[in-house]
Amino acid sequence: MKYIIIALALLPALMKISSLPFNAYGFGLLSGWLGMSLIAASLLLIIREPAWTDWFGGLQHMYLWHHRMGMMGYVLLLAHPLILSSHYFELDLDVAWQYLSPFNPDPINMVGWTGLITFMLGLAATFTQRLSYSLWRRLHMLLVGAIMLGLGHIWMADSSSVSFVIACFTVALAIGWRIIRGDYGIGAFPYEVNAVYHPTEQITEVSLRSLAKPMLIAPGQFVNAAFFQGPNFQGCGEFHPYTVSRVAKDGSLSLNIKALGYCTKHIQSLEPGVAVHLQGPYGNFLLDRPFSPEIWIAAGIGITPFLALLRSDKVDQKTDLIYLHREKENVPFEKELQTYAANQELLHFHSLAMENDPTLLFKWLASISRLKEQQIYLCGPPLLIALTTSWLQEQGVSRRQIHFEQFDFR
Ligand SMILES: Cc1cc2nc3c(=O)[nH]c(=O)nc-3n(C[C@H](O)[C@H](O)[C@H](O)COP(=O)(O)OP(=O)(O)OC[C@H]3O[C@@H](n4cnc5c(N)ncnc54)[C@H](O)[C@@H]3O)c2cc1C
């Protein structure tokens, strides 16, 4: 499927190649076409249909591809006026400057430059990690405006070409699909909050009852959930990702949601009867695991995929579960996890209270015999996953033995 996307990203530019002159002017036009078609094709990677995301190795990988293609497209678009201008550099400096200047009043130039500058602003927002998700999303929408301006620029230059029609069709398909099926949740699974329980002040365990055909989901996978309204609750209505923490035989599911930002803080006052839409299932964490001893490392609310697995079945191979948390007492789920470990010979549970410095975890891991032979599963914040992965690799654990789920992606 990746190759189809790459082919689609190259098609409009390839269709143009034969009509372009073999000089700097032609290369300038080619970089514009390539940039625009890469960006149009990258939009297909924001469609969140589960089967579609599976083809790219999961939502996280798919978004990575989306980012890389978008960045490559942007660099090519920046090169477009530079290369065009370089063609005129020796012939006529005034004309060369007109291609470079955002202040050139020619409408085609103004639309192109406004698109490029808008794109730059949208990208700057994309890389600002500390923004709340909803603000980040709104700023990211600037990129859609930039793409429309880019298409407007092409339309003014070359409206009748098939390449232009393909680029427009790709953009319309991707954005339309994402808005209708993704953001408006048409086709999402309807659920209802059945019960709410608070393991701690900051965490809400939500049990969901299916109102139609239930979603087929396995422990370790996650859903995109939007909470709507109930008798006294008004949810933020946005889709956010949560890993299931229980998958019951009757199709009901549980989520454990930690208060972090606007939406998740709001969810803490959830009540039974609230309507919920679920999209998914997504992800393949903990699915199809090779038969060998395992180490599970969960940081904070990253315990949810392991909780779902333990709540559904006993472990069938030697498993060390290391639970990292900040609490000195009242550790959420600790008693439940201790009970599983007490009743299962193969399961060993270790609770480690620590702050951000992972030295304690590394010390503990270093004491494990035959570390290099174990399969290691990590779930938690990206920084901890990155530090632990590189430490494990330094100890000789192969990258193929390390599996992780990050609780943050955009
Ligand atoms: C695969 C996955 C599984 C997750 N499972 C759980 C879980 O089981 N329990 C739990 O409490 N939390 C889970 N999270 C984290 C949860 O999605 C965020 O805490 C929540 O979306 C925060 O939203 P907010 O509006 O409250 O906060 P914001 O202030 O908007 O965001 C706080 C942080 O969450 C990230 N985030 C917010 N919305 C999204 C989104 N739609 N997609 C990706 N990242 C987002 C932001 O990048 C930001 O760093 C999971 C995240 C991912 C990616």
Side-chain angles (χ1 to χ4, degrees):
M1 195 47 69
K2 285 173 189 163
Y3 300 107
I4 293 183
I5 295 288
I6 292 172
L8 201 61
L10 298 179
L11 188 65
L14 289 179
M15 289 176 74
K16 278 270 133 198
I17 262 184
S18 60
S19 64
L20 301 178
F22 192 72
N23 56 22
Y25 190 78
F27 283 116
L29 291 178
L30 186 63
S31 85
W33 274 109
L34 260 181
M36 203 55 215
S37 40
L38 263 173
I39 287 171
S42 82
L43 289 181
L44 293 169
L45 305 180
I46 58 170
I47 294 176
R48 292 190 306 217
E49 297 295 329
W52 182 243
T53 63
D54 285 348
W55 277 321
F56 294 92
L59 205 54
Q60 238 138 343
H61 273 101
M62 193 179 82
Y63 283 164
L64 203 67
W65 269 73
H66 165 71
H67 291 158
R68 286 184 184 154
M69 284 173 70
M71 276 307 294
M72 262 159 47
Y74 180 62
V75 171
L76 284 163
L77 287 184
L78 270 185
H80 167 64
L82 292 178
I83 307 176
L84 286 179
S85 149
S86 75
H87 176 71
Y88 289 101
F89 219 64
E90 286 190 350
L91 304 172
D92 186 334
L93 265 184
D94 277 348
V95 180
W97 176 241
Q98 277 171 23
Y99 276 102
L100 278 184
S101 167
F103 305 108
N104 173 357
D106 181 358
I108 189 169
N109 185 73
M110 282 177 73
V111 171
W113 268 107
T114 314
L116 268 182
I117 292 167
T118 315
F119 215 104
M120 200 179 298
L121 295 175
L123 278 184
T126 299
F127 292 112
T128 313
Q129 288 294 324
R130 287 185 180 275
L131 296 177
S132 78
Y133 180 73
S134 49
L135 178 60
W136 172 86
R137 231 182 79 130
R138 264 177 263 143
L139 290 172
H140 203 66
M141 289 297 282
L142 276 177
L143 295 177
V144 176
I147 291 167
M148 294 305 162
L149 287 164
L151 289 176
H153 175 77
I154 303 179
W155 177 71
M156 290 162 127
D158 196 356
S159 63
S160 57
S161 75
V162 180
S163 298
F164 172 67
V165 176
I166 293 175
C168 286
F169 176 75
T170 311
V171 170
L173 176 74
I175 295 182
W177 198 301
R178 167 62 192 249
I179 292 178
I180 295 168
R181 295 269 307 174
D183 299 341
Y184 283 112
I186 309 284
F189 292 83
Y191 276 73
E192 184 185 70
V193 175
N194 196 25
V196 178
Y197 151 75
H198 294 274
T200 66
E201 221 176 88
Q202 297 256 297
I203 298 175
T204 304
E205 178 153 336
V206 189
S207 159
L208 302 173
R209 185 169 65 90
S210 170
L211 298 178
K213 202 172 137 215
M215 179 190 289
L216 285 177
I217 187 164
Q221 292 192 292
F222 67 95
V223 292
N224 262 323
F227 290 83
F228 294 91
Q229 60 262 37
N232 306 301
F233 175 88
Q234 178 64 55
C236 65
E238 275 175 15
F239 282 92
H240 285 252
Y242 305 106
T243 305
V244 286
S245 60
R246 185 193 302 274
V247 181
K249 294 215 164 62
D250 64 359
S252 61
L253 306 171
S254 296
L255 307 175
N256 275 276
I257 300 177
K258 183 168 180 184
L260 205 72
Y262 173 72
C263 254
T264 47
K265 278 185 187 149
H266 200 61
I267 284 172
Q268 308 302 308
S269 56
L270 199 63
E271 53 180 21
V274 170
V276 185
H277 280 177
L278 296 188
Q279 295 168 338
Y282 299 108
N284 49 18
F285 186 57
L286 303 183
L287 302 185
D288 303 327
R289 292 161 11 248
F291 193 83
S292 87
E294 296 182 351
I295 298 176
W296 299 350
I297 303 172
I301 196 66
I303 191 69
T304 48
F306 304 112
L307 207 54
L309 207 55
L310 292 172
R311 283 173 171 178
S312 72
D313 212 349
K314 291 192 167 182
V315 297
D316 57 1
Q317 47 217 308
K318 184 183 163 286
T319 305
D320 282 288
L321 166 58
I322 309 168
Y323 182 26
L324 311 172
H325 51 82
R326 292 172 198 271
E327 283 79 7
K328 298 265 181 307
E329 47 196 34
N330 291 335
V331 183
F333 317 111
E334 194 175 47
K335 285 208 177 77
E336 183 180 347
L337 296 166
Q338 279 166 343
T339 311
Y340 293 131
N343 294 321
Q344 299 182 44
E345 217 177 294
L346 291 174
L347 178 67
H348 306 279
F349 174 60
H350 317 271
S351 177
L352 282 188
M354 59 175 232
E355 290 300 321
N356 294 334
D357 178 10
T359 318
L360 199 60
L361 168 67
F362 296 164
K363 247 190 211 162
W364 194 93
L365 286 171
S367 71
I368 289 194
S369 63
R370 307 216 299 234
L371 181 67
K372 283 190 221 167
E373 292 165 29
Q374 320 244 356
Q375 295 292 324
I376 300 172
Y377 298 86
L378 294 139
C379 185
L383 183 62
L384 180 88
I385 289 178
L387 291 174
T388 313
T389 303
S390 63
W391 184 87
L392 285 167
Q393 285 182 289
E394 277 163 27
Q395 308 310 305
V397 179
S398 112
R399 179 63 191 80
R400 267 182 297 156
Q401 289 163 253
I402 308 170
H403 318 266
F404 55 79
E405 184 80 285
Q406 292 191 159
F407 268 15
D408 192 358
F409 61 71
R410 289 173 167 184

